[in-house]
Structures are given as C-alpha cells and as structure tokens.
Amino acid sequence: MTGSAYFMSTASSVTETHTLVVEVDNEPGVLARVVGLFSGRGYNIESLTVSETQHAEHVSRITVVTTGTRNIIDQIKAQLERLVPVHKVVDLTETGRALERELMLIKVRGKGDDRSEALRIAEAFRARVIDATVESFVFEITGKGEKLDQFVELMRPIGLVEVSRTGIAAIARGPNPL
C-alpha cells in the first residue's frame, strides 16, 4: 500500500443508521427542541417515538433512529447532550446489545380465497386480528421493521387498504439501565 491519500479508506463517508435514546425532562417544548436540532442542521429522522417513562420524576424517553456518517452521528450526540433538558444520550447501536421492535396496524380488504390467504399469512407472521368485518380485517403485528415490511408486501396483492406504524421502541439487553 502506498502513502497516497487516494488509497486511504473512505470509512468516514459511509452512511450508518443509529438508534439513539435521549432521556429528557417531560415538559412543554422539549420534543420541539430535539426535533428542531435535527431539522435545523439538516439531519434526517427515520423513526421517532416518545413517551414518559418515569412518571414520578417527569422524565420522558425519546428514541430516534437517524442516519449519517460517523462524524455526523457524533455531532448529533454531542449537540443533543448540550440541550438543557437532556439527562442522557445513549447510542444503542454502539452497544451492539439492543432490542428493537415496532408495532403496526394494517387493514386488509378481502373476500373468499383472499380472506383465507390473509388469515393464513397473518398466522405465519403471528399477527393478531383486532377487528374483522365481512369485507376486511385489521391486524396487529410487532417485530423488526424488516418483518413488518415483508408482511405489508404479502398483503398488498390481497387487498392492502391502510397501514399505521409506530416508531421503533428500543432497549438494551441485560440487567443494567441506560
């Protein structure tokens, strides 16, 4: 290998997807400030979920899935940590020990054989029927995003009507908190 810059690795320009957990005070305007940080700097949010997780302490957990180069991800984390109501920022992707799941509700129209096929596929994916009429079903399914995407694609030719998905909920494995 030569010492020329032309042969150096371009790893710094590789785009990565990261799941960040941000613990914040649950107060008005906090989510707007976090999202504003992303939009103001042109960072993309792939998924966003927010919920109060410590009621007595009024602490909420924001889970953000974002993409960028290693430098961009590091900038995002550093800028999030500087926001006043932020208690902690953890990059679950870096821990390598995260569990991630999404919830999806999906409405499928179908009669006769299509109806039977929709139920068969739902059973294979462990989707639950949460509403049924003589012409349609609403299924509830949880899992990794890829699983949900596959389910949608299989339901499309049967009679896909509508899809509603949550963002990713993520947690680190093991006994320790963030």
Side-chain angles (χ1 to χ4, degrees):
M1 180 131 179
T2 71
S4 169
Y6 291 106
F7 296 99
M8 295 178 74
S9 171
T10 58
S12 63
S13 65
V14 174
T15 300
E16 304 173 355
T17 300
H18 283 250
T19 302
L20 307 177
V21 172
V22 186
E23 286 190 347
V24 298
D25 289 335
N26 185 11
E27 57 188 40
V30 173
L31 178 60
R33 288 173 39 196
V34 169
V35 171
L37 182 146
F38 280 81
S39 66
R41 290 165 179 80
Y43 304 147
N44 190 39
I45 295 175
E46 306 269 331
S47 172
L48 176 70
T49 56
V50 184
S51 183
E52 187 174 62
T53 54
Q54 299 172 39
H55 298 293
E57 296 84 5
H58 302 291
V59 172
S60 288
R61 182 179 180 121
I62 300 173
T63 305
V64 181
V65 178
T66 189
T67 56
T69 63
R70 168 61 61 189
N71 290 339
I72 294 293
I73 299 296
D74 289 342
Q75 280 181 337
I76 290 170
K77 291 187 295 191
Q79 290 166 355
L80 284 170
E81 288 171 344
R82 283 196 291 269
L83 289 178
V84 172
V86 171
H87 296 269
K88 186 185 300 187
V89 177
V90 177
D91 187 342
L92 290 179
T93 303
E94 288 184 350
T95 68
R97 298 181 40 85
L99 297 170
E100 296 182 356
R101 295 294 184 267
E102 266 188 274
L103 167 71
M104 179 173 68
L105 302 178
I106 178 171
K107 187 183 298 182
V108 179
R109 180 181 304 127
K111 292 183 177 180
D113 290 342
D114 284 344
R115 197 169 171 78
S116 299
E117 182 67 3
L119 287 170
R120 187 187 66 72
I121 293 169
E123 184 178 345
F125 277 78
R126 294 190 176 125
R128 291 183 337 129
V129 176
I130 60 170
D131 185 60
T133 68
V134 294
E135 295 181 357
S136 68
F137 290 108
V138 175
F139 297 104
E140 173 187 77
I141 181 171
T142 59
K144 290 190 156 250
E146 299 82 25
K147 174 186 174 183
L148 303 186
D149 293 340
Q150 289 172 350
F151 189 69
V152 167
E153 289 309 310
L154 290 172
M155 291 298 175
R156 195 174 301 284
I158 292 172
L160 179 67
V161 175
E162 186 177 1
V163 174
S164 178
R165 289 173 82 155
T166 65
I168 291 173
I171 197 164
R173 293 177 188 266
N176 299 324
L178 290 178

